[in-house]
Amino acid sequence: MKSMTGYGRGESSQKGFKITVEVSSVNRKQTEISVNLPRDLEVLEAQIRDEINSRVARGRVTVRVSVHAAEGVSRTRINPALAKAYARELRALAKSLHLPDDVTLDILTRAPGVLQSDEGIHEAEELWPAMAKALKTALDTLLKMREREGAWLTNDLKKRVARMRTGVGRVQQRAPQVTERYRAQLLSRIQSAGLTTPAPDDERLLKEIFYFADRSDITEELTRLQSHFRQFDDCVKSGEPVGRTLDFLAQEINREINTIGSKANDTQVSQDVVVLKAELEKFREQVQNVE
């Protein structure tokens, strides 16, 4: 079980360039990938996405890639077409203002964009091996962090389920007694009203008790809850992403607990239902962090 939150960083060098890749992830119901690349490397975005999709199943993943010239390596380039355009426009301006035409090389090299020292990249594909290496390192670190947090989430979810199991166990023990208590209460009300107490085999009394028992029967809900808890145990043992499965289980557990609460005509069972709902809410909050 992994968390969806993490961060990783990797570096690699090739052909005088140092490539740095940073990967971070946060919670999302689906997989969302945002890639920030230098313009010259945008052609590599699809390959980066493929690598991430092969290792991350859920969450919003943000990738930031930066490329710098290695220390001591000059990557300055000259844009001759831009320099000629500057020279032409400057001479035309000087002529229109009746000024001396003294456009020099020094002036042109200071013009914006003529000297390009932004580590211009001619072939992005040539840098893919180095970028892939840095990306792998970043993803390895990211996944380790997600695994560490996932281990903490697993322990917390186990505690929540254990408490819910205990609560369900209490309800299960008390459920058979509910009908008998209803019978006793019904007879007590009849006596309080000054009416003749019916015989134990009175048909009307038996029919009323039967209807109550049928309406308040929670055997099916309790059985399904135990099944959901066993599915949780299977998720804990699984090596696959289980976040969506746990989210579905939380919805189903909530459905069964609500049904028990609506059926149970018993104070103690109602109190246990409140405790179950409180634990389930904490369980659902944590499940939102699971990949």
Side-chain angles (χ1 to χ4, degrees):
M1 193 180 294
K2 297 187 184 73
S3 165
M4 282 190 283
T5 305
Y7 172 82
R9 187 175 188 272
E11 292 183 352
S12 183
S13 299
Q14 181 179 324
K15 294 187 175 181
F17 292 104
K18 184 177 77 172
I19 299 174
T20 302
V21 178
E22 293 179 280
V23 184
S24 59
S25 64
V26 294
N27 302 352
R28 280 295 186 281
K29 286 188 176 181
Q30 306 297 330
T31 304
E32 297 178 21
I33 301 175
S34 173
V35 182
N36 300 313
L37 281 164
R39 182 174 299 178
D40 291 333
L41 296 179
E42 288 178 351
V43 68
L44 301 178
E45 181 174 341
Q47 291 165 269
I48 292 174
R49 288 179 176 274
D50 289 343
E51 289 294 321
I52 295 171
N53 279 320
S54 68
R55 302 188 66 183
V56 175
R58 195 181 183 208
R60 175 174 174 78
V61 181
T62 301
V63 184
R64 295 180 179 84
V65 179
S66 58
V67 182
H68 304 281
E71 188 175 352
V73 176
S74 175
R75 288 289 168 181
T76 302
R77 295 185 300 162
I78 297 176
N79 189 330
L82 186 59
K84 291 178 182 178
Y86 274 124
R88 183 173 57 253
E89 293 300 323
L90 287 172
R91 288 189 177 112
L93 180 62
K95 184 177 181 180
S96 66
L97 296 176
H98 306 288
L99 296 173
D101 179 2
D102 56 355
V103 178
T104 64
L105 186 61
D106 181 62
I107 292 175
L108 291 176
T109 55
R110 292 175 183 273
V114 173
L115 287 183
Q116 299 175 344
S117 57
D118 58 351
E119 298 94 36
I121 302 166
H122 298 285
E123 296 294 337
E125 291 292 344
E126 292 181 5
L127 289 181
W128 171 246
M131 185 178 295
K133 182 179 178 181
L135 178 61
K136 181 181 183 302
T137 301
L139 285 174
D140 287 345
T141 307
L142 171 81
L143 294 180
K144 285 179 181 177
M145 183 178 292
R146 285 164 67 116
E147 287 172 0
R148 285 195 300 271
E149 187 172 336
W152 182 89
L153 287 173
T154 301
N155 291 332
D156 187 74
L157 291 174
K158 282 180 178 179
K159 292 177 184 177
R160 305 298 173 195
V161 171
R163 290 170 184 166
M164 284 191 282
R165 274 186 163 126
T166 300
V168 169
R170 288 196 300 268
V171 173
Q172 208 154 15
Q173 288 178 352
R174 193 168 179 83
Q177 306 168 25
V178 173
T179 301
E180 186 56 38
R181 278 195 301 276
Y182 176 75
R183 178 192 180 99
Q185 290 169 1
L186 183 60
L187 290 172
S188 176
R189 286 199 296 270
I190 291 174
Q191 291 173 356
S192 299
L195 302 175
T196 303
T197 303
D201 59 350
D202 183 274
E203 183 179 349
R204 290 174 301 174
L205 176 64
L206 293 176
K207 187 177 292 186
E208 175 64 25
I209 294 172
F210 171 78
Y211 285 151
F212 173 81
D214 185 58
R215 290 194 306 270
S216 61
D217 181 42
I218 55 175
T219 304
E220 187 177 350
E221 287 76 18
L222 291 172
T223 300
R224 281 200 290 262
L225 279 173
Q226 296 295 353
S227 174
H228 296 331
F229 295 151
R230 287 193 293 272
Q231 290 179 62
F232 169 78
D233 293 338
D234 292 338
C235 287
V236 171
K237 298 172 186 175
S238 173
E240 301 298 321
V242 294
R244 291 186 181 90
T245 302
L246 291 177
D247 193 38
F248 173 75
L249 278 179
Q251 294 177 38
E252 293 302 303
I253 291 172
N254 183 61
R255 191 196 313 277
E256 306 305 337
I257 292 175
N258 282 337
T259 304
I260 290 173
S262 64
K263 283 185 175 183
N265 192 0
D266 182 84
T267 303
Q268 184 58 53
V269 172
S270 297
Q271 291 175 358
D272 286 329
V273 166
V274 171
V275 173
L276 286 170
K277 285 185 175 182
E279 288 300 329
L280 177 61
E281 186 59 31
K282 295 172 185 176
F283 179 88
R284 294 176 71 173
E285 288 176 1
Q286 295 292 33
V287 163
Q288 303 308 311
N289 299 316
V290 179
E291 181 183 28

